[in-house]
Amino acid sequence: VRPANTTGYTANEVVNDDIGFMLTIPNAVRAPGGACELNAIVVKTDQGGGAQTWRPKVFLHQTPRLAFLADNAVITLSYTIQRQTGYLGNVLLPALAPPAGTTIDEATINNLNVVLHAAPDRKDLYFDLQTLDAFTPGSGALYEVEFLLTQL
């Protein structure tokens, strides 16, 4: 996710494309209303070498949010509580850093072991990616969020 621009981020802004749709974890569960266990989350960028050292936070939801939230929009806890249905919680990851011998920056959190339930009419889960720190991305920087899930 990321538009091809270098607009800087301030703390608590969403990292998204310019369209502003909520990001999707497709087929997170086997059947509508099912459950999965979230074991790990990895956030990484193709522009590494220690250049990206911001702390990501992932907000998880059962259904897409009610309002579009374009890149660089501010996410606040009150927004999540008051405007969003199906809020499941959030996960704070450590700051991005370059793993040894790589040219990427990434943040990983393991051993979450949290059970998440999809909405009764859905198999997908949804998320927003937030930065807790100000930073300026390189032009066209790509950000990838990986979820290690076990369908229950």
Side-chain angles (χ1 to χ4, degrees):
V1 297
R2 179 73 189 137
N5 67 45
T6 56
T7 302
Y9 291 95
T10 59
N12 302 318
E13 289 185 342
V14 66
V15 179
N16 201 348
D17 57 26
D18 280 333
I19 298 171
F21 288 112
M22 183 168 268
L23 303 170
T24 304
I25 307 168
N27 297 310
V29 300
R30 294 176 200 251
C36 64
E37 181 177 38
L38 175 60
N39 300 302
I41 301 175
V42 180
V43 175
K44 60 175 109 176
T45 179
D46 63 339
Q47 296 188 348
Q52 304 287 314
T53 58
W54 53 281
R55 294 171 298 149
K57 187 175 187 178
V58 175
F59 289 85
L60 296 159
H61 305 270
Q62 288 181 320
T63 58
R65 72 177 114 68
L66 303 174
F68 291 113
L69 203 59
D71 191 46
N72 292 92
V74 174
I75 296 178
T76 64
L77 190 56
S78 62
Y79 165 83
T80 303
I81 291 171
Q82 296 174 10
R83 303 272 324 259
Q84 182 58 49
T85 60
Y87 176 64
L88 296 170
N90 62 72
V91 178
L92 176 62
L93 285 83
L96 275 75
T102 68
T103 59
I104 63 169
D105 284 341
E106 71 177 36
T108 303
I109 188 161
N110 292 305
N111 303 314
L112 292 169
N113 306 324
V114 175
V115 175
L116 303 173
H117 294 271
D121 62 339
R122 298 177 187 268
K123 293 178 12 180
D124 300 339
L125 293 175
Y126 303 87
F127 71 98
D128 280 310
L129 178 61
Q130 178 189 41
T131 177
L132 297 179
D133 303 295
F135 77 98
T136 301
S139 180
L142 297 176
Y143 299 98
E144 182 177 315
V145 183
E146 298 175 359
F147 296 88
L148 177 59
L149 302 169
T150 303
Q151 293 178 329
L152 302 177

